[in-house]
Amino acid sequence: MSMLLVPLCYGLLMTLTIRGCIEKGGPGGILALLAPNWSVITRPWVWLEASKFVFLSLHLGLGVIPTYASYNKYHHNIIR
């Protein structure tokens, strides 16, 4: 299945890139993605947002919930 889907995804990506270059204003948009504004990195709020996304993507502390749930008996009344 992956032998079919991986080349298909790359082909779709290349097709959309070429289609984006053909459209009006397309090359400017693609160049804006490939040449970012590096002066934004000096702003502190950018680093705070990046650290927030890193913290949320790691799911710190979420392994505790399944661990406690594994010790819960099936008919245990958790509301009480």
Side-chain angles (χ1 to χ4, degrees), residues 2-74:
S2 65
M3 294 287 287
L4 176 70
L5 289 178
V6 170
L8 183 70
C9 289
Y10 280 116
L12 183 63
L13 180 67
M14 292 302 294
T15 303
L16 290 175
T17 304
I18 292 170
R19 177 80 175 155
C21 287
I22 294 173
E23 292 294 322
K24 179 181 175 185
I30 291 174
L31 289 176
L33 288 174
L34 296 176
N37 184 4
W38 293 106
S39 65
V40 177
I41 292 180
T42 59
R43 298 180 185 154
W45 64 270
V46 173
W47 290 99
L48 290 173
E49 288 290 322
S51 62
K52 178 182 76 172
F53 285 121
V54 167
F55 180 76
L56 292 176
S57 67
L58 289 176
H59 301 290
L60 298 176
L62 290 182
V64 174
I65 295 170
T67 302
Y68 284 147
S70 68
Y71 291 113
N72 190 7
K73 298 201 181 355
Y74 182 70

